[in-house]
Amino acid sequence: MMRFMLLFSRQGKLRLQKWYLATSDKERKKMVRELMQVVLARKPKMCSFLEWRDLKVVYKRYASLYFCCAIEGQDNELITLELIHRYVELLDKYFGSVCELDIIFNFEKAYFILDEFLMGGDVQDTSKKSVLKAIEQADLLQEVRAWDSEEEDKYRGGGCPPCPGHLACQPRLPPSRHQGGPPPCGVWPPQHPVGQLALKL
Amino acid sequence: MVVPSLKLQDLIEEIRGAKTQAQEREVIQKECAHIRASFRDGDPLHRHRQLAKLLYVHMLGYPAHFGQMECLKLIASPRFTDKRVGYLGAMLLLDERQDAHLLITNSIKNDLSQGIQAVQGLALCTLSTMGSAEMCRDLATEVEKLLLQPSSYVRKKAVLTAVHMIRKVPELSNIFLPPCAQLLHERHHGILLGTITLITELCERSPAALKHFRKVVPQLVKILRTLVTTGYSTEHSISGVSDPFLQVRILRLLRILGRNHEESSETMNDLLAQVATNTDTSRNAGSAVLFETVLTIMDIRSAPGLRVLAVNILGRFLLNNDKNIRYVALTSLLRMVQSDHSAVQRHRPTVVECLREPDASLSRRALELSLALVNSSNVRAMTQELQSFLESCPPDLRADCASGILLAAERFAPTKRWHIDTILRVLTTAGIYVRDDAVANLTQLIGGAQELHAYSVRRLYSALAEDISQQPLVQVAAWCIGEYGDLLLEGSCEETEPLQVEEEEVLALLEKVLQSHMSQPATRGYALTALMKLSTRLRGDSNRIRQVVSIYGSCLDVELQQRAVEYNTLFQKYDHMRAAILEKMPLVERGGSQVDGEAKESKEAQLSETALVSTEPQASKLLDLLDLLDGTSGDAQPPPPLDPSPGGALVHLLDLPGAPPPPPSIPNLRVFEREGLQLNLSFVRPSGTPALLLIMVTATNTSGADVTHFICQAAVPKSFQLQLQAPSGDTLPAQGGLPVTQLLRILNPNKAPLRLKLRLTYNHFGQSVQEIFEVNNLPVETWQ
């Protein structure tokens, strides 16, 4: 089974951590620090697998983000690579040409997407379409429920200025309905994104 | 007064804008105070936003435990937004160790039983991420019910939650085993995938479950076959491979079911062959499936043809451009090198190629595999490859490589000379990385190969002359030069280039080692002892050596000082014994590294033990001094200084612990008889030292009168060395009283015919008698 998944930047900033095995906070911090050090020390041409403690670590770098999974001895490393790639594709489809900033500003969405794809460290659904549909429906549910509450009106965010760099930017819902934040394309405030996640399809 | 709080994005923005760590901390502290206040005030509308901010801050590493209760409140709220964030918070902030976690159980239970799929999904997801054993026990039946729910969305999540529950509470297998049979008929890939994961988990934990599920093997085979042959659907395919995730899972389950089970394995054979040959491996997805197939083939009782196919697939992987695939190939080959050695051997050249990889994880794997593939037929070639690898590999691999080469050399060395050469090369290349016993092993090896003494000492001398920094090499070289220094100086050795070495050069080199700051104390010890030994090997005078030794008598290092002082004493007071003490070590038997250590110990003990023995009148003084030493035979007593059979003790000492065969017995000889006084000689040739002869002179008195003032002296030709030990006494009581014994030690390095003259003086019957005679009829075995 997968023990945990980490996303972190080249500077060693953690962007997402999902733990599938109960570990204490202190232990987690230690492991994260250690593993980040090991992975960041790897040269670009090296293979994506390494041994760390008693686990196998599969990592892949997409633009400025490292996607890192720790699996057990029995698990298949090559399929884990596919798993990572599938997650990136999901993010990409959801955010529309996802970049690191999207994941920073919408970290909770990144978690939600991960939770629709994996559960307990195992793949829930092998259909991209199905996973994206589920997230879409959950988002809708969030919106529908929000309309019920008058108070929400006050806290709706303003419209999203058209984002220059994202041709594929198609917010799932009209910007005016989106509560409390920038549109899914995530470029807000307008800043040059750190780097596009280059996807190898 | 509602203080407007930052929106999540604003907070993130502000934190990222902070220029220093201190500034960031300040921003966060301020905001956390806000959040805490908001929690206290209990503002339900914005709770989710506050918690979201808190979760972000938590990810940066700041404490967020005060948000735990808020998670619970949010989960209990009817709003979906709240639940979503609340459950996320629970997964991030709550774990088994917090007491609060049990409070969620009720909320989860409620959420599982109400009808909204998305909410059920959230609850199941949270349960499977952080559900503790107690929670799992409490909610097992709820999850079981959901396995039969109409919605496939919920069912697929319920199955994976069941997997987690079994991992936490294995007894729950009883609940989740029955539904599996029906779930296997699912068409939905997600549910199927979850079911197979569930079955895998059940089988891994219980042999009974394993047996139970063997009967679904045909069904699994059918599912996989369908996937591979007809199931091309764009929805689930990756790079032309149908649902690789599902294929890999099925293959893994088949592996577990087929292991050690002839029948199941047979059912799978065809399918595995089909998958192995039909899978498109141009992209990673196909390779992943193929890899899993290979693992399964190797683990079950597969047909031999299939196994060969598997190994060949791995061989092909080794040639792949993709580093990842090469890596998994090396790892798998390593796993099967024991069971399918010959098949893996065929790919040896490719494996050796992989040694040259710049990627450290790959070259490490290649190193392990290469070492496992060394056998007696390829040892020369492989060692060559490994040596060149050793020269260029990263430091963390050097130790493993060096010890691997040495081990392989030890197991498969074709000749002793090759073995010595190999070890020498390893020591020169990677001396500091070898294990401690390498020195001992090499000295033992050299010591035991008499024909190679000259060769070894020359090679080691040249190596040492070039470089004195590699400590193991220096130690061995010093030892060798000390032992075989004479071979170094005399003549030439046909196996190496002619090397003209002067005595002075040798001494200079050893002194250099002694003085160098790179030499460790142990190395210095070796060098000093070597110098000492050379004092007897070299023909020139030993003044230079005496000088060095006396200088080190005041060395700060205690070990060196002791040695120097002892050697000094040897020069000054026991010069006549020097040659005997420093003579060459006996040939070492290869009984393992223990032997060498003990041989060294016995040499040390021999050194101190022979110092105990003395023929001078100063014997008693010496013994008093050395009383302090722990004599191994406990022989130190006031005169008579030695027990009746000191020769026995010495012989025992000289025996190596490798239990050499007992020395062949030589017949005793009666050499003298006069008026009841008899002199017998008994001979012992200890097997470890061919040049040594021990003669025990026993004088017995059968006459009616005592013999007093009995002194026996001996003389031998010049080429021999003789040591007379103190007799056991000088009085022989009448009528067969206690005999007097005396030990003679004769060294005959040239194996010349032995001639012995004895001189006896004693008082008998009131007369003083003197007898001088030569011993005739000495058995040939005494000197041959």
Side-chain angles (χ1 to χ4, degrees):
Chain A
M1 71 176 254
M2 190 189 302
R3 293 273 180 100
F4 58 84
M5 180 189 269
L6 302 176
L7 265 71
F8 51 88
S9 71
R10 269 214 61 77
Q11 284 74 44
K13 283 264 183 351
L14 194 61
R15 299 298 178 208
L16 187 146
Q17 54 173 335
K18 187 79 186 177
W19 293 79
Y20 293 110
L21 192 72
T23 347
S24 72
D25 218 19
K26 199 168 109 181
E27 186 63 33
R28 285 184 192 184
K29 284 211 175 103
K30 190 160 144 219
M31 288 167 89
V32 167
R33 217 178 17 239
E34 226 181 275
L35 190 55
M36 278 210 274
Q37 224 174 1
V38 173
V39 172
L40 288 172
R42 303 271 287 183
K43 301 197 199 52
K45 288 292 170 88
M46 294 177 107
C47 76
S48 292
F49 312 131
L50 57 98
E51 262 123 54
W52 176 74
R53 298 198 181 188
D54 60 334
L55 299 171
K56 298 196 274 198
V57 172
V58 179
Y59 74 94
K60 189 131 191 232
R61 184 174 160 195
Y62 287 89
S64 58
L65 268 183
Y66 281 91
F67 287 70
C68 208
C69 292
I71 54 176
E72 290 174 345
Q74 299 276 18
D75 299 323
N76 184 330
E77 294 99 320
L78 295 174
I79 206 74
T80 312
L81 268 180
E82 286 300 320
L83 189 150
I84 293 177
H85 192 70
R86 173 57 65 89
Y87 181 47
V88 174
E89 284 178 329
L90 289 169
L91 288 170
D92 190 58
K93 224 21 194 287
Y94 182 80
F95 286 109
S97 287
V98 66
C99 58
E100 191 185 343
L101 276 179
D102 289 320
I103 301 183
I104 295 172
F105 281 97
N106 299 284
F107 72 94
E108 75 278 22
K109 293 281 183 356
Y111 274 107
F112 296 151
I113 296 172
L114 185 60
D115 286 338
E116 283 300 329
F117 176 48
L118 297 178
M119 231 171 86
D122 298 305
V123 176
Q124 275 178 57
D125 206 323
T126 52
S127 158
K128 232 190 313 187
K129 207 168 74 179
S130 173
V131 174
L132 289 167
K133 189 149 157 258
I135 299 171
E136 194 177 323
Q137 291 192 325
D139 282 346
L140 247 155
L141 202 57
Q142 214 171 312
E143 289 307 302
V144 165
R145 290 296 182 94
W147 268 119
D148 291 343
S149 164
E150 268 186 343
E151 299 279 350
E152 287 305 295
D153 276 312
K154 297 192 198 141
Y155 294 98
R156 215 149 299 133
C160 149
C163 356
H166 295 261
L167 298 166
C169 169
Q170 277 181 28
R172 304 275 138 201
L173 314 145
S176 57
R177 279 174 159 226
H178 196 79
Q179 62 163 234
C185 70
V187 184
W188 185 84
Q191 253 181 22
H192 188 67
V194 177
Q196 297 293 323
L197 276 85
L199 297 176
K200 281 187 267 181
L201 288 167
Chain B
M1 309 271 15
V2 179
V3 180
S5 60
L6 290 171
K7 298 202 197 110
L8 172 62
Q9 268 72 25
D10 291 340
L11 174 65
I12 298 178
E13 195 53 41
E14 212 178 310
I15 292 176
R16 285 170 61 78
K19 302 259 188 321
T20 64
Q21 185 79 358
Q23 206 175 351
E24 178 183 292
R25 228 174 306 146
E26 206 183 298
V27 169
I28 289 177
Q29 267 171 359
K30 204 167 77 183
E31 191 56 35
C32 281
H34 243 290
I35 296 174
R36 258 194 293 255
S38 164
F39 286 162
R40 258 200 320 273
D41 294 338
D43 174 12
L45 278 172
H46 304 113
R47 201 177 278 142
H48 71 273
R49 187 184 296 161
Q50 307 293 20
L51 186 65
K53 284 191 279 186
L54 189 60
L55 292 177
Y56 182 79
V57 161
H58 175 249
M59 187 154 64
L60 292 177
Y62 293 88
H65 44 270
F66 53 90
Q68 285 168 12
M69 291 311 289
E70 305 306 310
C71 297
L72 297 172
K73 291 187 196 151
L74 282 168
I75 292 171
S77 150
R79 279 175 37 182
F80 185 68
T81 318
D82 286 349
K83 281 193 195 284
R84 234 183 169 186
V85 180
Y87 274 121
L88 179 62
M91 286 192 271
L92 290 176
L93 298 180
L94 287 173
D95 67 58
E96 310 187 334
R97 285 169 190 75
Q98 268 85 27
D99 295 325
H101 86 277
L102 285 170
L103 298 169
I104 311 183
T105 317
N106 222 28
S107 297
I108 294 185
K109 199 174 195 158
N110 292 336
D111 282 338
L112 285 178
S113 44
Q114 53 82 58
I116 302 179
Q117 287 184 32
V119 173
Q120 287 173 315
L122 283 178
L124 286 169
C125 184
T126 308
L127 185 52
S128 91
T129 307
M130 48 74 71
S132 67
E134 294 98 338
M135 286 170 72
C136 291
R137 273 194 213 100
D138 288 340
L139 297 165
T141 36
E142 295 297 325
V143 174
E144 192 202 349
K145 269 192 274 181
L146 291 174
L147 285 175
L148 307 163
Q149 264 244 327
S151 154
S152 53
Y153 175 83
V154 175
R155 264 184 298 156
K156 81 181 179 197
K157 289 188 189 267
V159 176
L160 284 176
T161 312
V163 173
H164 171 83
M165 287 183 153
I166 289 177
R167 284 183 184 144
K168 278 293 187 188
V169 188
E171 296 83 55
L172 292 173
S173 311
N174 301 329
I175 304 185
F176 292 116
L177 197 144
C180 289
Q182 189 188 345
L183 285 167
L184 261 185
H185 294 284
E186 288 279 349
R187 306 291 295 269
H188 188 279
H189 281 231
I191 303 178
L192 201 50
L193 188 57
T195 309
I196 296 189
T197 313
L198 180 58
I199 298 177
T200 310
E201 204 63 36
L202 288 165
C203 291
E204 275 175 348
R205 277 161 205 282
S206 140
L210 182 61
K211 213 161 141 211
H212 170 89
F213 281 112
R214 284 226 173 89
K215 51 181 200 278
V216 306
V217 169
Q219 196 175 354
L220 291 169
V221 167
K222 199 167 115 214
I223 297 172
L224 187 51
R225 184 168 280 134
T226 320
L227 264 182
V228 172
T229 53
T230 63
Y232 182 78
S233 75
T234 39
E235 200 180 332
H236 298 284
S237 303
I238 301 182
S239 324
V241 180
S242 323
D243 207 337
F245 294 109
L246 185 56
Q247 285 198 43
V248 166
R249 272 268 165 227
I250 297 177
L251 284 164
R252 185 159 157 188
L253 180 56
L254 286 175
R255 179 154 86 238
I256 295 172
L257 294 173
R259 205 179 271 152
N260 291 327
H261 197 250
E262 208 55 65
E263 198 188 317
S264 306
S265 306
E266 212 162 324
T267 323
M268 302 174 206
N269 266 326
D270 286 339
L271 172 67
L272 291 172
Q274 192 177 5
V275 177
T277 43
N278 287 349
T279 310
D280 173 19
T281 55
S282 53
R283 308 301 296 271
N284 185 55
S287 304
V289 172
L290 198 56
F291 177 50
E292 196 74 26
T293 314
V294 166
L295 290 178
T296 303
I297 293 175
M298 298 316 295
D299 231 7
I300 63 170
R301 298 266 177 88
S302 47
L306 206 52
R307 290 183 89 87
V308 172
L309 176 64
V311 178
N312 288 344
I313 291 176
L314 288 179
R316 245 180 32 227
F317 273 3
L318 271 183
L319 298 166
N320 196 310
N321 283 331
D322 188 345
K323 284 210 177 66
N324 297 330
I325 294 183
R326 286 213 289 277
Y327 180 87
V328 300
L330 284 171
T331 320
S332 318
L333 282 172
L334 191 60
R335 258 189 273 175
M336 60 180 73
V337 75
Q338 301 299 335
S339 52
D340 297 77
H341 192 90
S342 44
V344 182
Q345 275 285 357
R346 251 176 267 135
H347 300 281
R348 190 171 56 83
T350 331
V351 173
V352 170
E353 272 297 313
C354 291
L355 275 176
R356 305 203 186 96
E357 287 280 350
D359 182 340
S361 10
L362 274 170
S363 51
R364 175 187 289 278
R365 285 265 162 272
L367 174 65
E368 286 173 21
L369 191 51
S370 304
L371 287 172
L373 286 176
V374 178
N375 62 23
S376 39
S377 49
N378 60 29
V379 66
R380 280 185 199 257
M382 286 298 279
T383 314
Q384 190 63 27
E385 292 284 349
L386 289 166
Q387 295 266 25
S388 43
F389 176 64
L390 184 62
E391 277 155 27
S392 56
C393 75
D396 48 341
L397 285 178
R398 288 230 175 132
D400 292 326
C401 190
S403 37
I405 296 177
L406 292 178
L407 204 66
E410 184 148 333
R411 285 174 66 192
F412 301 114
T415 61
K416 275 198 182 161
R417 184 175 146 183
W418 180 90
H419 195 175
I420 291 178
D421 280 341
T422 309
I423 303 186
L424 209 59
R425 191 167 163 195
V426 171
L427 285 181
T428 343
T429 332
I432 43 178
Y433 296 100
V434 294
R435 278 200 343 248
D436 296 335
D437 61 353
V439 173
N441 281 341
L442 185 55
T443 39
Q444 187 193 340
L445 187 60
I446 295 178
Q450 188 175 19
E451 67 280 12
L452 292 170
H453 285 169
Y455 172 74
S456 313
V457 74
R458 273 160 194 284
R459 291 233 30 216
L460 281 166
Y461 179 79
S462 324
L464 190 62
E466 271 180 41
D467 174 19
I468 60 168
S469 62
Q470 303 265 31
Q471 294 303 296
L473 183 65
V474 174
Q475 288 173 5
V476 177
W479 179 84
C480 217
I481 294 174
E483 278 292 307
Y484 311 118
D486 48 334
L487 295 174
L488 181 61
L489 295 167
E490 85 191 13
S492 58
C493 170
E494 68 279 2
E495 287 168 345
T496 62
E497 302 191 353
L499 180 69
Q500 198 46 38
V501 181
E502 300 295 326
E503 287 183 13
E504 295 300 311
E505 287 174 2
V506 179
L507 295 178
L509 186 59
L510 282 174
E511 280 173 37
K512 188 171 156 199
V513 170
L514 259 179
Q515 289 157 12
S516 163
H517 62 278
M518 293 186 277
S519 301
Q520 290 169 357
T523 315
R524 288 211 175 94
Y526 273 93
L528 194 61
T529 310
L531 269 174
M532 229 6 235
K533 290 187 202 167
L534 283 179
S535 70
T536 57
R537 313 269 195 271
L538 301 183
R539 279 171 297 228
D541 77 57
S542 41
N543 274 331
R544 187 167 172 176
I545 299 177
R546 291 178 80 134
Q547 264 183 332
V548 173
V549 165
S550 62
I551 290 174
Y552 276 84
S554 45
C555 172
L556 281 177
D557 183 273
V558 177
E559 165 76 20
L560 279 179
Q561 195 190 92
Q562 180 180 352
R563 287 189 190 217
V565 165
E566 286 178 5
Y567 294 154
N568 237 349
T569 319
L570 212 52
F571 267 125
Q572 286 165 8
K573 288 205 230 165
Y574 300 103
D575 207 30
H576 53 280
M577 294 212 298
R578 195 157 44 88
I581 291 175
L582 298 172
E583 70 196 5
K584 282 211 183 115
M585 274 198 72
L587 283 184
V588 178
E589 303 233 330
R590 294 230 11 142
S593 54
Q594 273 223 338
V595 179
D596 196 37
E598 293 190 36
K600 282 210 170 95
E601 276 170 29
S602 69
K603 186 157 170 27
E604 250 65 289
Q606 181 189 348
L607 209 66
S608 59
E609 188 60 34
T610 22
L612 269 176
V613 162
S614 163
T615 60
E616 310 292 335
Q618 295 158 338
S620 49
K621 277 200 225 149
L622 187 60
L623 281 171
D624 285 343
L625 247 182
L626 295 172
D627 239 353
L628 301 168
L629 283 177
D630 200 14
T632 50
S633 63
D635 277 348
Q637 314 159 19
L642 298 164
D643 69 19
S645 58
L650 255 181
V651 167
H652 171 69
L653 263 180
L654 291 168
D655 270 357
L656 292 172
S665 52
I666 308 172
N668 290 359
L669 196 65
R670 173 171 302 182
V671 299
F672 176 79
E673 148 113 282
R674 183 177 152 162
E675 291 169 321
L677 175 64
Q678 289 162 2
L679 212 66
N680 279 332
L681 299 182
S682 61
F683 306 94
V684 178
R685 292 284 299 274
S687 56
T689 36
L692 183 67
L693 169 69
L694 300 169
I695 304 182
M696 184 68 84
V697 179
T698 314
T700 45
N701 181 8
T702 50
S703 69
D706 294 357
V707 169
T708 56
H709 301 95
F710 178 83
I711 294 177
C712 170
Q713 286 161 324
V716 290
K718 276 223 176 65
S719 62
F720 294 78
Q721 287 172 20
L722 173 66
Q723 263 179 6
L724 277 169
Q725 298 196 354
S728 60
D730 64 348
T731 307
L732 286 121
Q735 309 290 2
L738 200 67
V740 164
T741 56
Q742 186 165 18
L743 182 70
L744 271 64
R745 271 191 86 216
I746 296 181
L747 266 172
N748 181 7
N750 301 329
K751 299 230 197 266
L754 177 65
R755 292 171 62 191
L756 186 66
K757 225 178 198 174
L758 290 173
R759 178 169 176 261
L760 305 174
T761 54
Y762 57 91
N763 290 346
H764 199 194
F765 297 119
Q767 288 178 317
S768 62
V769 180
Q770 183 185 280
E771 292 273 359
I772 302 179
F773 56 90
E774 179 155 343
V775 177
N776 302 314
N777 312 320
L778 281 168
V780 176
E781 296 90 73
T782 53
W783 52 270
Q784 260 187 350

